[in-house]
Amino acid sequence: MDVCSSPPTHTPRRGGRSLAVALILLALVVLGAAILAACGGTSDAAENSGTPGDGTATQAPATPSPDQTSTPSQPGSQMSVRVYFLRGEKLGVAERQVPDTKAVATAAMKELCLGVNAAEREAGLSSAVPAGTGLRSVSIRDGVATVDLTGDFASGGGSLSMQARVAQVVYTLTQYPTITAVAFKVDGEPLTALGGEGLALEADQTRADWQDFEPNIFVERPGVGAVISSPFVLEGTAVVFEGAFLAELEDAAGTQLVKVPVQASAGGPERGDFRESLAYDTSVASGTLIVYDQSAEDGSRQDEVRIPVRFAP
């Protein structure tokens, strides 16, 4: 017998075992790929959610502006800021629309530094802040806003001009409840005195320091150029006889839309606060708010202030 020869049935058996092993290995590979894919999907979800501890750093919030005084803004939206100019030798207010921002104090100060526009000038407003004055920064801490202006702020003008420009800055910044006082810097250095006569500014400045610049009827809202809708709020302070005065709203053609008495919280010689809601109906685009008190002798108008406004569609 040829002991080296093998039965012909042995070869097919080896081939069957090899095929079975191959199929098992292929199944394991497919199963492993499915498991990896599933794990990969879980990893992506964790990264997208920014879950702490998954090895992926979460996105840090945007650094807030140094003068953050409001809630975060919506992209593309607008907000209103009040800018305190002069009407004669007293303060007068304008309202401007600016891109929505958390840094509202900075936005208001930038508008102040721009000076009055043509419509505001026509309405009787002016500014004692020298042309060319730039804003370097505004920072707020413990209710005190530190405003850093360029050197132009300290240039030119007499005593009244120096006082008026300080009052404009103080009122523009303290329109926000988070700010109660203002400290001044020029070109990064603390400003302790202003002008040749040495207007002292060592201490933080408040509205109480500059209240003499408030007119007898001081309308803080709405300001010149404000966009109002019915009803709107008339707000400010007044020092008039018995605290009483009148407010009228007329359209661009001079037609009276509403006339109401306004009562301040105190009568002259004390200064009182007032807040009144006025409703109107019109289809025109613009008009004028007029406030005044009447002479006790002859009923003539006194302390009249005219504020051009626009009506919201």
Side-chain angles (χ1 to χ4, degrees), residues 81-84 108 170-177 179 207 220:
V81 296
R82 297 198 300 270
V83 188
Y84 288 70
V170 170
Y171 275 76
T172 296
L173 287 172
T174 56
Q175 69 182 280
Y176 302 109
I179 301 174
R207 285 196 173 198
E220 294 199 65

Side-chain angles (χ1 to χ4, degrees), residues 221 233-236 262-265 273-278:
R221 186 166 60 148
V233 172
L234 172 66
E235 188 173 24
V262 181
Q263 182 65 51
S265 60
D273 301 323
F274 63 82
R275 180 184 174 89
E276 190 75 31
S277 180
L278 283 76

Side-chain angles (χ1 to χ4, degrees), residues 43-108:
S43 177
D44 288 344
E47 287 181 13
N48 290 337
S49 66
T51 304
D54 66 356
T56 303
T58 57
Q59 184 176 1
T63 302
S65 169
D67 78 321
Q68 182 176 341
T69 56
S70 70
T71 56
S73 59
Q74 296 296 323
S77 60
Q78 296 280 305
M79 60 179 285
S80 176
V81 296
R82 297 198 300 270
V83 188
Y84 288 70
F85 291 121
L86 299 174
R87 182 179 281 110
E89 295 182 353
K90 301 292 185 180
L91 291 167
V93 182
E95 282 192 40
R96 292 182 179 176
Q97 295 294 309
V98 299
D100 202 1
T101 176
K102 292 185 294 183
V104 291
T106 293

